[in-house]
Amino acid sequence: MNTNEFLNYMNQGTEIQGGSEVHQYMSELSQEAMKITTELNHYYHTPEEICHIFSKLIGKPVDKSFRMFPPFYTDCGKNINIGKNVFINSCCCFQDQGGITIGDGTLIGHKVVFATLDHNFDPQKRQGMTPKPILLGKNVWIGANATILGGVTIGENAIVAAGAVVTKDVPANSIVAGVPAKFIKWIDNKWEESA
């Protein structure tokens, strides 16, 4: 199995059986991710160096406008897609096997968790996992300590309050908060009128 075959399988949302070829390849990617994140997290790097290391981690170039404050953690890395002018604050954890897409202009606060894998509810099959993608539109703001679960789409301009646990889709131009996250209000678009 190679990385493209792995990503094609994961992006279909098909269950992964513990011990299968896909599961073994997932473990290999985890080892590679640990090496690269150790390099990223344990020394000072310029913004340009961070872009280079992060590109190596995800297996594709990131725009020079990308900014991150390490440390950063992932157990895969290869299923992350980043737009332009994205900022990721320190101590974020991305479980990206199911796919994480982050739109242009998105801001991600401290200690945000993206979790794209669910385990089987049946204790006899608990080693099995099902990948589900997370999609963030443009100009999304994710507050510190928020957790976004697999299968969630967050619409553009939306705000996820600090500490929220997002289990369902978030409409564009809305604010959600709480555990589980619930709609709070629509974003006032007066700023668009004055622009």
Side-chain angles (χ1 to χ4, degrees), residues 19-53:
S20 66
E21 181 184 11
V22 175
H23 189 245
Q24 290 171 11
Y25 193 76
M26 185 187 306
S27 296
E28 290 175 28
L29 289 178
S30 294
Q31 295 301 311
E32 180 183 340
M34 282 191 278
K35 288 179 188 175
I36 297 170
T37 54
T38 297
E39 176 187 353
L40 175 68
N41 295 337
H42 287 89
Y43 300 99
Y44 169 77
H45 298 285
T46 66
E48 295 77 20
E49 289 169 336
I50 289 172
C51 282
H52 173 74
I53 295 167

Side-chain angles (χ1 to χ4, degrees), residues 82-152:
I82 302 273
K84 295 179 180 179
N85 297 305
V86 169
F87 173 71
I88 300 174
N89 220 322
S90 60
C91 299
C92 291
C93 298
F94 285 20
Q95 181 194 54
D96 64 283
Q97 288 91 339
I100 297 171
T101 300
I102 300 173
D104 296 348
T106 291
L107 306 174
I108 299 174
H110 293 89
K111 297 183 180 179
V112 168
V113 173
F114 290 133
T116 66
L117 291 177
D118 280 334
H119 286 278
N120 198 307
F121 285 6
D122 180 346
Q124 302 304 315
K125 299 177 183 177
R126 188 66 43 89
Q127 297 301 315
M129 295 168 274
T130 304
K132 296 178 184 175
I134 294 171
L135 306 170
L136 278 64
K138 294 180 180 179
N139 302 312
V140 169
W141 175 17
I142 308 291
N145 289 297
T147 298
I148 316 300
L149 299 184
V152 166

